């Protein structure tokens, strides 16, 4: 059965890869699993039908027969478990790849989201200018640690894995801020992720939704 995921009907970034269905599309592309996409509006995301799939009223969701999942970490893990290509066969290496998936969403993504919130949602507050350097330094602290661990390796732990897919996806959000460029090995790591044919296909598929919509309007 072909899985169906949900994605923004109108993405705030116009389909340029920042919405989180990108990482799920990327995982599908890496393992060669076809998928379908059901666009949802912001209003529909908060209505009962979508809330039954996603208790927090967000995208993406994943449906396959009776199975409904939410949370990109869980969805990518589910895809990686069922298909070859994203998790190593060796038990230890597999556990470490899963560890990097958790690190991406649980340790690296939170300060990056905090920065996005500080700019987008709190930029007009009187205390925003004073707080921003503190928020940026929290991101730098995490990136420094990650940069030290990556060193001059190509990927986080041997061959490319779901751990890299999640970490690159999380770091991509920083590109417009310029902070990533302070850590050349991380910037190169992200560029290697973006250069993967599967990432390019995922990006193009997401963008096509919005370029087609704007041609039609
Ligand atoms: N932790 C969740 C976050 C999901 C999330 O924040 N999705 C965003 C789109 S990238 C969303 O639906 N935002 C709209 C909203 O929260 O109302 C995951 O990784 O799946």
């Amino acid at each position: 059965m072909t899985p169906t995921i949900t994605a923004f009907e109108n993405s705030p970034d116009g389909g340029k890869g920042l919405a989180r269905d990108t990482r799920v599309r990327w995982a599908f592309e890496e393992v060669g699993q076809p998928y379908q996409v059901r666009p949802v509006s912001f209003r529909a995301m908060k209505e009962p039908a979508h809330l039954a799939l996603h208790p927090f009223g967000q995208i993406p969701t994943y449906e396959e027969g009776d199975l409904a999942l939410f949370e990109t970490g869980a969805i990518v893990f589910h895809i990686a478990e069922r298909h070859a290509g994203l998790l190593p066969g060796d038990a230890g290496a597999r556990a470490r790849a899963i560890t990097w998936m958790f690190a991406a969403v649980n340790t690296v993504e939170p300060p990056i989201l905090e920065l996005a919130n500080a700019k987008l949602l709190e930029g007009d507050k009187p205390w925003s200018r004073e707080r921003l350097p503190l928020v940026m330094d929290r991101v730098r602290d995490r990136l420094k640690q990650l940069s030290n661990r990556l060193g001059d390796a190509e990927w986080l732990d041997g061959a490319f894995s779901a751990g890299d897919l999640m970490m690159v996806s999380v770091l991509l959000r920083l590109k417009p801020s310029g902070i990533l460029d302070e850590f050349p090995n991380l910037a190169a790591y992200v560029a290697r992720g973006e250069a993967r044919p599967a990432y390019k296909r995922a990006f193009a598929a997401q963008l096509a939704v919005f370029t087609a919509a704007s041609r039609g309007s």
Side-chain angles (χ1 to χ4, degrees), residues 193-214:
E194 289 179 289
R196 291 181 71 82
Y199 177 83
K200 289 185 178 170
R201 288 194 296 274
F203 184 94
Q206 194 195 56
L207 186 61
V209 175
F210 300 98
T211 45
S214 67

Side-chain angles (χ1 to χ4, degrees), residues 36-55:
Q36 289 173 339
V37 180
R38 182 158 45 79
V40 285
S41 68
F42 278 99
R43 201 178 67 188
M45 280 162 59
K46 309 301 175 195
E47 286 174 352
H50 189 76
L51 288 171
L53 297 172
H54 197 309

Side-chain angles (χ1 to χ4, degrees), residues 70-206:
F70 59 96
E71 285 297 329
T72 51
I75 297 171
V76 170
F77 182 47
H78 177 77
I79 296 167
E81 272 206 313
R82 271 148 191 81
H83 303 271
L86 281 172
L87 286 174
D90 171 75
R94 190 179 178 90
R96 289 194 303 275
I98 295 165
T99 300
W100 280 116
M101 294 183 71
F102 276 88
V105 290
N106 206 36
T107 302
V108 178
E109 191 164 44
I112 293 175
L113 288 181
E114 191 56 32
L115 177 59
N117 287 341
K119 288 184 171 175
L120 297 175
L121 306 179
E122 299 164 358
D124 59 346
K125 301 283 186 288
W127 37 262
S128 167
R129 261 186 73 178
E130 203 177 340
R131 182 168 179 266
L132 195 58
L134 182 147
V135 177
M136 289 178 85
D137 281 346
R138 284 192 194 131
V139 174
R140 286 193 180 93
D141 287 347
R142 272 290 174 267
L143 294 191
K144 190 166 187 312
Q145 293 164 325
L146 185 65
S147 167
N148 287 344
R149 170 53 79 101
L150 181 67
D152 57 9
E154 195 177 2
W155 305 113
L156 287 166
D157 192 301
F160 177 83
S161 77
D164 295 297
L165 186 152
M166 292 302 289
M167 191 64 81
V168 169
S169 299
V170 160
L171 294 174
L172 269 167
R173 189 172 287 269
L174 281 174
K175 268 177 81 176
S177 75
I179 298 185
L180 206 50
D181 297 326
E182 296 173 26
F183 302 88
N185 67 335
L186 293 184
Y189 171 65
V190 169
R192 276 194 292 280
E194 289 179 289
R196 291 181 71 82
Y199 177 83
K200 289 185 178 170
R201 288 194 296 274
F203 184 94
Q206 194 195 56

